Coordinates of all heavy atoms in Angstrom, one line a residue:
Q1 N 16.3 2.2 1.3 CA 15.3 1.3 1.9 C 16.1 0.3 2.9 O 15.5 0.0 4.0 CB 14.6 0.5 0.8 CG 13.6 1.4 0.1 CD 13.0 0.7 -1.1 OE1 13.4 -0.5 -1.5 NE2 12.1 1.4 -1.8
A2 N 17.2 -0.2 2.5 CA 18.0 -1.1 3.4 C 18.4 -0.3 4.6 O 18.3 -0.8 5.7 CB 19.2 -1.6 2.6
A3 N 18.9 0.9 4.5 CA 19.3 1.7 5.6 C 18.1 2.0 6.6 O 18.2 1.9 7.8 CB 20.0 3.0 5.2
L4 N 17.0 2.4 6.0 CA 15.8 2.7 6.8 C 15.3 1.5 7.5 O 14.6 1.7 8.5 CB 14.8 3.3 5.9 CG 15.1 4.7 5.3 CD1 14.0 5.3 4.4 CD2 15.5 5.7 6.3
R5 N 15.4 0.3 7.0 CA 15.0 -0.9 7.7 C 15.8 -1.1 8.9 O 15.3 -1.8 9.9 CB 15.1 -2.1 6.8 CG 13.9 -2.2 5.8 CD 13.9 -3.6 5.1 NE 15.1 -3.9 4.5 CZ 15.4 -3.7 3.2 NH1 14.5 -3.1 2.5 NH2 16.5 -4.0 2.6
Q6 N 17.1 -0.6 9.0 CA 18.0 -0.9 10.1 C 17.7 0.1 11.2 O 18.0 -0.2 12.3 CB 19.4 -0.8 9.6 CG 19.8 -1.8 8.7 CD 21.3 -1.6 8.2 OE1 21.9 -0.6 8.5 NE2 21.8 -2.5 7.4
L7 N 17.2 1.2 11.0 CA 17.2 2.3 12.0 C 16.0 2.1 13.0 O 16.3 2.3 14.2 CB 17.1 3.6 11.3 CG 18.4 4.0 10.5 CD1 18.2 5.3 9.8 CD2 19.5 4.2 11.5
P8 N 14.7 1.8 12.6 CA 13.7 1.7 13.7 C 14.0 0.7 14.8 O 13.7 1.0 15.9 CB 12.5 1.3 12.9 CG 12.7 1.8 11.5 CD 14.2 1.6 11.3
P9 N 14.6 -0.5 14.5 CA 14.9 -1.4 15.6 C 15.9 -0.8 16.6 O 16.0 -1.2 17.7 CB 15.5 -2.6 14.9 CG 15.0 -2.6 13.5 CD 14.9 -1.2 13.2
Q10 N 16.6 0.3 16.1 CA 17.6 0.9 17.0 C 17.0 2.1 17.8 O 17.6 2.8 18.4 CB 18.8 1.5 16.2 CG 19.6 0.4 15.5 CD 20.5 1.0 14.5 OE1 20.9 2.1 14.6 NE2 21.0 0.1 13.6
G11 N 15.6 2.3 17.6 CA 15.0 3.3 18.3 C 14.7 4.6 17.5 O 14.2 5.6 18.1
W12 N 15.1 4.7 16.3 CA 14.9 5.9 15.4 C 13.5 5.9 14.8 O 12.9 4.9 14.5 CB 15.9 5.8 14.2 CG 17.3 6.1 14.7 CD1 18.2 5.1 14.9 CD2 17.9 7.3 15.0 NE1 19.4 5.7 15.4 CE2 19.2 7.0 15.4 CE3 17.5 8.6 15.0 CZ2 20.1 8.0 15.8 CZ3 18.4 9.6 15.4 CH2 19.7 9.3 15.8
L13 N 13.0 7.1 14.8 CA 11.8 7.4 14.0 C 12.2 7.7 12.6 O 13.0 8.6 12.4 CB 11.0 8.6 14.6 CG 9.8 9.1 14.0 CD1 8.7 8.0 13.9 CD2 9.2 10.3 14.6
V14 N 11.7 7.0 11.7 CA 12.2 7.1 10.3 C 11.1 7.5 9.3 O 9.9 6.9 9.4 CB 12.8 5.8 9.8 CG1 13.2 5.8 8.4 CG2 14.0 5.4 10.8
G15 N 11.4 8.4 8.4 CA 10.5 8.8 7.3 C 11.3 8.9 6.1 O 12.4 9.2 6.1
S16 N 10.5 8.8 5.0 CA 11.2 9.0 3.7 C 10.2 9.5 2.7 O 9.0 9.3 2.8 CB 11.8 7.6 3.2 OG 10.9 6.7 2.8
G17 N 10.7 10.1 1.6 CA 9.9 10.7 0.6 C 10.7 10.8 -0.7 O 11.9 10.7 -0.6
Q18 N 10.0 10.8 -1.8 CA 10.7 10.9 -3.1 C 10.2 12.1 -3.9 O 9.1 12.5 -3.7 CB 10.5 9.6 -3.9 CG 11.1 8.5 -3.2 CD 10.9 7.2 -4.1 OE1 10.0 7.1 -4.9 NE2 11.9 6.3 -3.9
C19 N 11.1 12.6 -4.7 CA 10.6 13.7 -5.6 C 10.6 13.1 -7.0 O 11.5 12.5 -7.5 CB 11.7 14.8 -5.6 SG 11.8 15.7 -4.1
P20 N 9.4 13.2 -7.6 CA 9.3 12.7 -9.0 C 10.1 13.4 -10.0 O 10.3 14.7 -9.8 CB 7.7 12.9 -9.3 CG 7.3 13.9 -8.4 CD 8.2 13.9 -7.1
E21 N 10.6 12.8 -11.0 CA 11.4 13.4 -12.0 C 10.5 13.8 -13.2 O 10.6 13.3 -14.3 CB 12.5 12.4 -12.5 CG 13.4 12.1 -11.4 CD 14.6 11.2 -11.9 OE1 14.9 11.2 -13.0 OE2 15.1 10.5 -11.0
T22 N 9.6 14.7 -12.9 CA 8.7 15.2 -13.9 C 8.7 16.8 -13.8 O 8.9 17.4 -12.8 CB 7.2 14.7 -13.7 OG1 6.8 15.2 -12.4 CG2 7.1 13.2 -13.7
D23 N 8.4 17.3 -15.0 CA 8.4 18.8 -15.1 C 7.3 19.3 -14.3 O 6.1 18.7 -14.3 CB 8.2 19.3 -16.5 CG 9.5 19.0 -17.4 OD1 10.6 18.9 -16.7 OD2 9.4 18.9 -18.6
G24 N 7.4 20.3 -13.5 CA 6.3 21.0 -12.8 C 6.1 20.3 -11.4 O 5.3 20.8 -10.6
A25 N 6.9 19.3 -11.0 CA 6.8 18.8 -9.7 C 7.3 19.8 -8.8 O 8.3 20.4 -8.9 CB 7.6 17.4 -9.6
P26 N 6.6 20.0 -7.6 CA 7.0 21.0 -6.7 C 8.3 20.6 -5.9 O 8.5 19.4 -5.6 CB 5.8 21.1 -5.7 CG 5.0 19.9 -5.9 CD 5.3 19.4 -7.3
P27 N 9.2 21.5 -5.6 CA 10.4 21.1 -4.9 C 10.3 20.4 -3.6 O 11.1 19.6 -3.3 CB 11.2 22.4 -4.9 CG 10.2 23.5 -5.1 CD 9.0 22.9 -5.8
G28 N 9.2 20.7 -2.9 CA 9.0 20.1 -1.6 C 8.1 18.8 -1.6 O 7.6 18.4 -0.6
R29 N 8.0 18.2 -2.8 CA 7.1 17.1 -3.0 C 7.4 16.0 -2.0 O 6.5 15.3 -1.6 CB 7.1 16.6 -4.4 CG 6.4 15.3 -4.7 CD 4.8 15.6 -4.5 NE 4.1 14.4 -4.9 CZ 3.7 13.5 -4.0 NH1 4.0 13.6 -2.7 NH2 3.0 12.5 -4.4
A30 N 8.7 15.7 -1.7 CA 9.0 14.6 -0.8 C 8.3 14.7 0.5 O 8.0 13.7 1.2 CB 10.5 14.6 -0.6
W31 N 8.0 15.9 1.0 CA 7.4 16.1 2.3 C 5.9 15.5 2.3 O 5.5 15.1 3.3 CB 7.3 17.6 2.7 CG 8.7 18.0 3.0 CD1 9.5 18.8 2.2 CD2 9.4 17.9 4.3 NE1 10.7 19.0 2.9 CE2 10.6 18.5 4.1 CE3 9.1 17.2 5.5 CZ2 11.6 18.4 5.1 CZ3 10.0 17.1 6.5 CH2 11.2 17.8 6.3
F32 N 5.3 15.5 1.1 CA 4.0 14.9 1.0 C 4.0 13.4 1.2 O 3.1 12.8 1.7 CB 3.2 15.3 -0.3 CG 2.8 16.7 -0.3 CD1 3.6 17.7 -0.9 CD2 1.5 17.0 0.2 CE1 3.1 19.0 -1.0 CE2 1.1 18.3 0.2 CZ 1.9 19.3 -0.4
D33 N 5.1 12.8 0.9 CA 5.3 11.4 1.2 C 5.7 11.1 2.6 O 5.3 10.2 3.3 CB 6.4 10.8 0.3 CG 6.1 10.8 -1.2 OD1 4.9 10.8 -1.6 OD2 7.0 10.6 -2.0
L34 N 6.6 12.0 3.1 CA 7.2 11.8 4.4 C 6.3 12.0 5.6 O 6.2 11.3 6.5 CB 8.4 12.8 4.5 CG 9.1 12.9 5.8 CD1 10.1 11.7 5.9 CD2 9.8 14.2 5.9
L35 N 5.5 13.2 5.6 CA 4.8 13.5 6.8 C 3.7 12.7 7.2 O 3.5 12.4 8.4 CB 4.3 15.0 6.7 CG 5.4 16.0 6.6 CD1 4.8 17.4 6.3 CD2 6.2 16.1 7.9
P36 N 2.8 12.1 6.3 CA 1.7 11.3 6.8 C 2.2 10.1 7.6 O 1.7 9.7 8.6 CB 1.0 10.9 5.5 CG 1.3 12.0 4.6 CD 2.7 12.4 4.9
G37 N 3.3 9.4 7.1 CA 3.8 8.2 7.8 C 4.4 8.6 9.1 O 4.2 7.9 10.1
L38 N 5.1 9.7 9.2 CA 5.7 10.1 10.5 C 4.5 10.5 11.5 O 4.6 10.2 12.7 CB 6.5 11.3 10.3 CG 7.9 11.1 9.7 CD1 8.7 12.5 9.6 CD2 8.7 10.1 10.5
A39 N 3.4 11.1 11.0 CA 2.3 11.4 11.9 C 1.7 10.1 12.4 O 1.0 10.1 13.5 CB 1.3 12.2 11.1
E40 N 1.7 9.0 11.7 CA 1.2 7.8 12.2 C 2.0 7.3 13.4 O 1.4 6.8 14.4 CB 1.1 6.8 11.2 CG 0.1 6.9 10.1 CD 0.0 5.9 9.0 OE1 0.6 4.8 9.3 OE2 -0.5 6.1 7.9

């Protein structure tokens, strides 16, 4: 979070996502967090 706060003022497009630590969570789950924000 600290690193990602530093990058946009430098002109970077930044996205992030997390993978839940639960059984059955799909391996690409972070993309569901990441993509909507980037699309905005």
